[in-house]
Amino acid sequence: MDHRQLGFLVALARERHFGRAATACNVTQPTLSARLKQLEEELGCALIIRGHRFEGLTPEGEHVLSHARRILASLDELNAELDPSSPPSGLLRLGLIPSALDAVSSWVVPLREHYPALTLRLMERATLPLMQSLMEGDIDVAVGYLDVPAAEPFVARRLHTERYALLAREDCFTLPERPAWADIGNFPLCLLTPDMQHRHRIDLHARREGVTLSPVLETESMAALERLVGQGAGVGIVEQHGPEVLRHSGLVHRLLPATGEDPPVGLLWRAGAPPSRRLQALLEWLREPGEAPM
């Protein structure tokens, strides 16, 4: 077994296609297939469900995949730390709840400008899968809710408090200047799916206000929700937007009243070891003015 075989398995799981995985790894498809078959023989179990095309991984394959990702991440980090005088480089895997997409997007480009050798991989996930991915080492850091039980095992740093706003295309819907929660039942709503914490909290507060929500559209992606709102599909309930984001978009947002239980959102990472150089770079970049060094 060598690290290239593990890299082939990770690429196949990501691309879900032998040809695309081979291209991503800069090898021929027969070479990739042969090396993966060799890995299966060395481990003594089938890792891949094969048919006329790639059909997924076996349970054993999923288990090996989780280890492979951690091993490759550790190897990548080792290479980065062998030259401590060099700027942070390599891949930083960041998972985020969908409602944090705009907040994260606001600092990704400045971060990359400051650390041009750093590569970021962003993955939107619901809260429980996000915490599971962080626990298993599939991501390096998460941006998620800090007040959920699943966040308790991790080191946390607060970034902001989530506030809710109505979002609509201004030539399709007229939003009140100062909407109340009671107003949200008057619009065709575009919301995240019920398994998302963001949606769960909105539903809970709406019930407390005596409002019944009947969404016309649900999606797992905040980017998809905002795009569909921009096409006039309905009115979204999103995390608070800055007006600079909407100035040229044809969209308007109206901040809803605070619920009194607006959730804290922040960075989460695994305890028990010093942060990697890549994670440390992110933590340094996002440090509040006057905050003590880590």
Side-chain angles (χ1 to χ4, degrees), residues 39-261:
L39 179 62
E40 290 177 314
E41 292 172 354
E42 292 174 357
L43 294 175
C45 61
L47 305 178
I48 301 163
I49 303 172
R50 293 177 173 85
H52 293 296
R53 63 189 66 184
F54 175 75
E55 297 182 2
L57 300 179
T58 64
E60 294 80 5
E62 293 287 353
H63 187 64
V64 173
L65 174 66
S66 180
H67 282 276
R69 286 171 171 159
R70 289 198 294 270
I71 290 169
L72 293 174
S74 296
L75 181 60
D76 189 35
E77 182 61 29
L78 174 62
N79 289 330
E81 293 190 358
L82 287 176
D83 183 6
S85 63
S86 65
S89 62
L91 177 65
L92 180 67
R93 302 163 301 165
L94 191 153
L96 63 152
I97 53 175
S99 59
L101 180 61
D102 274 354
V104 171
S105 298
S106 69
W107 47 257
V108 161
V109 172
L111 176 68
R112 282 277 299 113
E113 289 175 348
H114 194 73
Y115 297 109
L118 198 63
T119 300
L120 295 175
R121 179 180 296 161
L122 306 183
M123 293 161 278
E124 279 186 278
R125 292 179 182 169
T127 294
L128 290 181
L130 180 68
M131 300 305 173
Q132 186 67 28
S133 294
L134 187 59
M135 180 67 73
E136 294 178 352
D138 292 337
I139 57 176
D140 303 302
V141 60
V143 178
Y145 295 112
L146 306 185
D147 61 347
V148 296
E152 292 177 0
F154 304 110
V155 184
R157 178 192 287 181
R158 187 183 183 121
L159 292 177
H160 64 269
T161 298
E162 187 169 87
R163 288 289 305 276
Y164 305 112
L166 297 179
L167 180 71
R169 182 168 159 172
E170 57 186 340
D171 60 351
C172 294
F173 300 96
T174 301
L175 300 180
E177 286 295 326
R178 292 183 174 84
W181 279 90
D183 295 326
I184 65 178
N186 299 327
F187 297 104
L189 294 176
C190 300
L191 303 174
L192 292 180
T193 53
D195 60 307
M196 300 286 184
Q197 273 286 324
H198 179 272
R199 170 65 182 280
H200 172 72
R201 294 167 191 262
I202 289 172
D203 287 347
L204 182 62
H205 194 69
R207 285 196 298 272
R208 289 174 178 170
E209 295 291 322
V211 178
T212 300
L213 301 184
S214 300
V216 298
L217 186 148
E218 297 177 328
T219 176
E220 294 180 340
S221 166
M222 186 61 74
L225 187 152
E226 294 180 9
R227 185 175 183 86
L228 290 163
V229 167
Q231 293 174 358
V235 174
I237 301 181
V238 298
E239 189 180 9
Q240 177 183 357
H241 290 67
E244 69 281 358
V245 177
L246 306 175
R247 188 173 298 135
H248 304 295
S249 66
L251 299 177
V252 293
H253 85 287
R254 298 286 186 265
L255 186 63
L256 286 161
T259 67
E261 300 175 352

